[in-house]
Amino acid sequence: MVLSLIAIALTAGIAYAWVVRGFFSAFLHMVCVLIAGAIAFGFWETVSLAILNNAPSGFFAFAGDAAWGIGLIAPFVVSLVLLRLVVDSLVKANAQVDDSANYIGGGVCGLVSGVISAGIFINGVSFMRVPAEFFGHQPVTYGSAGNFQATNNLLVPVDRLTASFYNHLSENVLATSTPLARYYPDLAVAAGAQRMSDGDGENRNSIQPSAVSLASAFTVGKQGGSGEAVLGDF
């Protein structure tokens, strides 16, 4: 419940901040937020692995445990600040519209900015080494058969809305050969599942790529549609 309230507060606070600044300013900020989000997800893996592979020991060792969260949040914040600086330097004056357009348009643009900003923040924090139930929210639990199952959403599911939006972009307007949607079809659940370990999530949830190797893999139901398991060595 606490995390839901945090999500609502962040979303509402950002939305209100841009309502009072008017539609044009809110629209420009929304565009910057959308672009910053795309940059953050685009560089997420690169930045996270760089942090993970270079995490120091001792007092700052926590950076390795928080690598996947920092790797998403930091590029978003940096990109947003830089984009705002560029936009503010290019656009010197506000556009004058009537009060209704300012409040309605500013509210809609502010709400979008709030959802994306809060969604990236919460998704980032969810990938850190935090308890399986974090601030009253646990997106994944054990089912009766011992399997993982998705359980509840935030009251305002900014994490799922944000992930779904960029998943859609990764296969359409911003399509790449390795789309986000392929690797994280349900990013919010992936974050929760990553924290499901002994000790209520106390175990490490990240590891350096050099620490493991893939010996073999198999695929079920992909070979000519026959449904057999196919084993391949690497």
Side-chain angles (χ1 to χ4, degrees), residues 104-219:
I104 297 174
V108 171
C109 293
L111 183 61
V112 172
S113 297
V115 168
I116 298 298
S117 300
I120 288 178
F121 172 74
I122 289 179
N123 276 317
V125 171
S126 296
F127 272 95
M128 295 181 182
R129 191 177 181 180
V130 296
E133 182 179 345
F134 183 61
F135 281 177
H137 176 62
Q138 185 171 354
V140 178
T141 60
Y142 289 111
S144 57
N147 58 308
F148 287 172
Q149 63 179 20
T151 53
N152 55 66
N153 296 325
L154 298 171
L155 294 177
V156 178
V158 294
D159 52 346
R160 292 180 180 272
L161 290 173
T162 300
S164 296
F165 176 70
Y166 285 104
N167 274 348
H168 177 75
L169 292 184
S170 73
E171 293 185 315
N172 293 275
V173 177
L174 302 178
T176 69
S177 59
T178 56
L180 177 68
R182 179 185 302 172
Y183 295 97
Y184 289 98
D186 197 335
L187 190 144
V189 170
Q194 191 168 293
R195 306 198 309 268
M196 295 294 289
S197 63
D198 291 338
D200 190 32
E202 291 183 357
N203 288 351
R204 294 190 61 181
N205 63 348
S206 62
I207 189 171
Q208 294 179 336
S210 59
V212 296
S213 61
L214 179 62
S216 62
F218 68 90
T219 302

Side-chain angles (χ1 to χ4, degrees), residues 37-54 66-76 127 176-180 182-184 187 194 206-209:
I39 293 173
F41 279 110
F43 284 92
W44 181 22
E45 184 178 66
T46 302
V47 175
S48 298
L49 290 177
I51 296 172
L52 187 60
N53 288 326
N54 295 282
W68 289 99
I70 297 173
L72 181 62
I73 296 173
F76 174 74
F127 272 95
T176 69
S177 59
T178 56
L180 177 68
R182 179 185 302 172
Y183 295 97
Y184 289 98
L187 190 144
Q194 191 168 293
S206 62
I207 189 171
Q208 294 179 336

Side-chain angles (χ1 to χ4, degrees), residues 12-107:
I14 294 172
Y16 176 76
W18 289 102
V19 166
V20 299
R21 285 169 173 77
F23 171 58
F24 186 64
S25 295
F27 175 77
L28 291 178
H29 183 74
M30 179 188 71
V31 172
C32 290
V33 167
L34 294 176
I35 295 174
I39 293 173
F41 279 110
F43 284 92
W44 181 22
E45 184 178 66
T46 302
V47 175
S48 298
L49 290 177
I51 296 172
L52 187 60
N53 288 326
N54 295 282
S57 58
F59 179 77
F60 293 101
F62 71 88
D65 296 329
W68 289 99
I70 297 173
L72 181 62
I73 296 173
F76 174 74
V77 173
V78 172
S79 299
L80 183 56
V81 170
L82 293 177
L83 287 167
R84 285 296 327 186
L85 290 174
V86 171
V87 169
D88 291 345
S89 66
L90 295 175
V91 182
K92 300 294 186 180
N94 201 355
Q96 300 301 318
V97 296
D98 61 63
D99 290 343
S100 297
N102 271 330
Y103 287 120
I104 297 174

